[in-house]
Amino acid sequence: MTLSTRSVSLDAPRVGGDLPGPRSAELLARQGRRESNARTYPRHLPIAIAEASGSFVTDVDGNVFIDFLAGAGVLSLGHNHPDLVRAVTDQLGLLTHGLDFPTPIKDAFVEAQLSMLSPGMRDRMKVHFCGPTGANAVDAAVKLCKTATGRGDLVSFQGGFHGSSHAAMALTGLLEQKQPVPNGMPGVHFFPYSYCSRCPMDLSPDSCDTNCVGYLERSLRDSNAGVPLPGAVILELVQGEGGVVPARADFVRRLRALTRELDIPLIVDEVQTGCGRTGTWFAFEQYDIEPDVIVASKALSGIGTPVAMILYDERLDVWAPGAHTGTFRGNQLAFAAGTAAVHVIRRDDVLGNVGRRGEQVADRLTELAVNPWVREVRGVGLMWGVELADPLSGRTAGALARRVQARALRAGLIIEVGGRDDCVLRMLPPLNVTAEVVDIACCILIDAIEECCPT
Ligand SMILES: Cc1ncc(COP(=O)(O)O)c(C=O)c1O
């Protein structure tokens, strides 16, 4: 089978005229009439996409953008990576849908995934494929832990995001999504996360002694604190949608020690941080801990063919046959792409690139420190956020962040916002992004911030 290849190679953004352009405007209007009011991205990024390649997307009006949204972190090797396109194309003629039957390509995928774990974990982790979304895998993780422990309560963290299904939403901090939906999953207890620049305990990071985890510890040990021993604690190691907030190392290590001591399974939600996003295959590796359950999805296939799974300690494997089913658990195209993605990531030292490009972003964005509207620049690997706040009141500056986002788009850079009041500008580039593209993107972002947030 021949692959279609782009005749033009893209190396810089190019935007002419107003946005949306006329053809995008037409499709956006039609979408507005036909699709749900719950649609999100095109409201603030008003383009209709025609095609994409690597770190670039082209809209239907011929405008070219650097894509630092990358399918919300899905496209770890950029759009249409040729090795992944080839793997998917080859698989397409063989088998596409396999329920949960074993197949050679699924076997290769599982082997590739396990090979990314440390030898100790590799031998004791079991794999379960879920319906192909992060939220479905979060549901599966929670069901597994509840079943294994016989306990129905759960601990989650303020600012966390775990998806939009009923259960995943109940574990999510974002009230805007939850409030209109009565009778959410009960038994979820929210505790403060180590978001030091807006410390939930109002302490300075240097003197706090990680009181947030101390508070959780006291609550779980106190027979009068009103929190029954939970069936699981679920945590993002870097809160993504919550505004790119990396957890402090002592927070995570103490949490792991506590959950181990109290025999509470620790679920790490690596839907966004996994598959190399933070510079290691999973973010938990950087904290020197081993979780009981890992939730992975988004970038597992590297190219957007959907797949989700949980990896969990075999001692939790109490499920009866059919305990978590789903028709779309056997996407062979995703397995083919994901197997190729692991190969490319190793071959091209993509994790090394994440480290180097991450340092480049950190270095370039230091110049924002002088801007009084920039409260904090934070990130790890290729997951970066710039938090904007009113310099006088300290209040989140969400409307301003939206203006910066629009200005950046006009200059050819697609970025998302997140965090409280959407005040954090977020960059999630492909993991194989080049130094040149990072440099152009950082220039655009810095200019947009300087134009919108005068000093
Ligand atoms: C940490 C985390 N968990 C879960 C999800 C939900 O994934 P999905 O949208 O595929 O259901 C997301 C999505 O952004 C996420 O960032």
Side-chain angles (χ1 to χ4, degrees):
M1 199 175 286
T2 38
L3 305 175
S4 73
T5 44
R6 295 185 53 90
S7 50
V8 188
S9 97
L10 301 171
D11 55 13
R14 194 180 58 234
V15 180
D18 289 338
L19 293 178
R23 298 183 66 200
S24 286
E26 198 184 317
L27 291 191
L28 287 162
R30 196 142 61 232
Q31 180 190 42
R33 284 196 301 277
R34 291 174 173 169
E35 289 185 32
S36 144
N37 201 42
R39 67 196 184 282
T40 53
Y41 295 107
R43 291 185 186 278
H44 298 286
L45 297 164
I47 55 170
I49 299 172
E51 59 180 317
S53 175
S55 297
F56 293 88
V57 301
T58 305
D59 77 3
V60 290
D61 297 288
N63 297 307
V64 178
F65 304 88
I66 294 176
D67 182 9
F68 273 17
L69 173 57
V74 161
L75 302 160
S76 54
L77 296 176
H79 293 270
N80 314 341
H81 189 286
D83 292 72
L84 275 54
V85 170
R86 194 169 306 110
V88 170
T89 313
D90 290 348
Q91 184 64 37
L92 197 53
L94 282 178
L95 179 73
T96 56
H97 177 79
L99 295 170
D100 67 352
F101 289 103
T103 66
I105 195 61
K106 181 185 194 178
D107 190 59
F109 178 83
V110 171
E111 187 66 33
Q113 292 303 322
L114 292 176
S115 78
M116 298 308 267
L117 298 176
S118 67
M121 286 191 83
R122 195 178 301 159
D123 293 340
R124 67 179 171 79
M125 295 309 259
K126 297 206 78 168
V127 181
H128 182 78
F129 289 100
C130 308
T133 65
N136 191 272
V138 166
D139 278 21
V142 163
K143 282 168 58 182
L144 177 80
C145 294
K146 284 187 174 184
T147 310
T149 60
R151 303 193 290 254
D153 288 77
L154 299 163
V155 164
S156 191
F157 291 96
Q158 293 164 3
F161 182 82
H162 299 288
S164 289
S165 69
H166 227 83
M169 189 173 69
L171 295 160
T172 290
L174 195 65
L175 286 176
E176 195 183 328
Q177 236 184 34
K178 287 159 51 140
Q179 265 168 340
V181 187
N183 278 356
M185 179 177 70
V188 182
H189 306 272
F190 283 91
F191 280 84
Y193 189 77
S194 61
Y195 180 11
C196 298
S197 79
R198 289 188 183 277
C199 172
M201 325 288 278
D202 254 344
L203 295 164
S204 125
D206 305 326
S207 63
C208 82
D209 197 24
T210 4
N211 273 23
C212 40
V213 73
Y215 174 57
L216 171 64
E217 180 162 4
R218 284 189 293 281
S219 303
L220 292 183
R221 289 187 194 281
D222 179 355
S223 58
N224 231 357
V227 186
L229 197 66
V233 171
I234 184 164
L235 149 103
E236 286 170 278
L237 293 155
V238 184
Q239 288 188 338
E241 306 303 303
V244 194
V245 188
R248 272 174 70 131
D250 45 352
F251 173 83
V252 175
R253 290 197 193 117
R254 281 180 62 187
L255 180 65
R256 176 63 283 196
L258 174 68
T259 48
R260 189 153 275 153
E261 196 189 323
L262 298 181
D263 200 20
I264 305 167
L266 179 65
I267 304 171
V268 291
D269 179 345
E270 296 253 18
V271 168
Q272 194 161 142
T273 49
C275 308
R277 173 60 56 194
T278 67
T280 46
W281 187 246
F282 286 117
F284 72 79
E285 296 164 50
Q286 299 183 38
Y287 291 89
D288 228 2
I289 62 151
E290 289 189 357
D292 301 299
V293 185
I294 305 162
V295 185
S297 178
K298 282 192 192 286
L300 273 176
S301 78
I303 197 172
T305 38
V307 54
M309 66 180 190
I310 54 173
L311 294 157
Y312 58 92
D313 190 301
E314 59 193 359
R315 90 188 137 79
L316 295 172
D317 199 21
V318 295
W319 265 345
H324 190 81
T325 57
T327 308
F328 290 107
R329 290 180 296 143
N331 186 336
Q332 310 294 304
L333 304 182
F335 297 147
T339 308
V342 168
H343 172 72
V344 170
I345 286 167
R346 281 212 176 96
R347 183 194 68 197
D348 298 349
D349 184 27
V350 171
L351 298 185
N353 190 58
V354 173
R356 290 187 293 277
R357 299 289 73 79
E359 280 170 25
Q360 184 188 351
V361 172
D363 201 43
R364 288 292 276 107
L365 298 188
T366 47
E367 66 186 83
L368 289 174
V370 294
N371 190 306
W373 290 87
V374 174
R375 185 181 177 101
E376 195 174 38
V377 177
R378 46 179 189 254
V380 49
L382 280 175
M383 198 171 171
W384 282 88
V386 179
E387 179 167 332
L388 302 184
D390 185 308
L392 298 178
S393 67
R395 267 194 226 114
T396 52
L400 191 62
R402 285 291 184 199
R403 283 210 291 283
V404 174
Q405 182 191 33
R407 187 71 67 110
L409 184 72
R410 184 69 196 76
L413 173 66
I414 297 175
I415 49 170
E416 189 35 331
V417 299
R420 273 35 171 213
D421 181 35
D422 284 341
C423 74
V424 180
L425 298 153
R426 304 186 52 206
M427 297 205 290
L428 279 176
L431 306 185
N432 56 353
V433 65
T434 62
E436 293 71 31
V437 171
V438 166
D439 198 50
I440 300 170
C442 287
C443 282
I444 293 175
L445 179 63
I446 291 167
D447 286 353
I449 290 174
E450 281 170 0
E451 283 165 32
C452 297
C453 317
T455 48

